[in-house]
């Protein structure tokens, strides 16, 4: 139903919203993680969370395509 400039603007707004929510989610999770883990274990906890995030980002599109 949308075309031309209107479609372009709607897609750009959706992409900006998605990226903003993604950055907010990751930042919030890091803050929660740093508050929940003792300082002596913070490096290991951050490494595990970054590894898990990378794995889910790699397999997320394939899982979404399968659905």
């Amino acid at each position: 139903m949308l075309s031309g400039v209107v479609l372009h603007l709607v897609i750009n707004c959706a992409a900006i919203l998605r990226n903003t929510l993604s950055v907010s989610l990751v930042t919030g999770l890091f803050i929660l993680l740093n508050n929940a883990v003792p300082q002596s274990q913070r490096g290991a906890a951050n490494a595990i969370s970054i590894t898990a995030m990378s794995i889910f980002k790699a397999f997320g599109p394939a899982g979404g395509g399968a659905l």
Side-chain angles (χ1 to χ4, degrees):
M1 295 177 70
L2 298 175
S3 63
V5 176
V6 175
L7 177 63
H8 187 67
L9 287 174
V10 168
I11 291 174
N12 279 337
C13 288
I16 289 169
L17 181 64
R18 182 191 61 153
N19 289 335
T20 303
L21 290 175
S22 176
V23 168
S24 299
L25 178 73
V26 170
T27 303
L29 287 175
F30 278 134
I31 290 170
L32 287 173
L33 182 76
N34 285 335
N35 288 335
V37 177
Q39 188 172 4
S40 62
Q41 297 176 343
R42 198 168 288 167
N46 281 333
I48 291 169
S49 68
I50 289 172
T51 302
M53 183 176 59
S54 297
I55 290 170
F56 284 114
K57 279 188 174 184
F59 291 114
L67 289 175

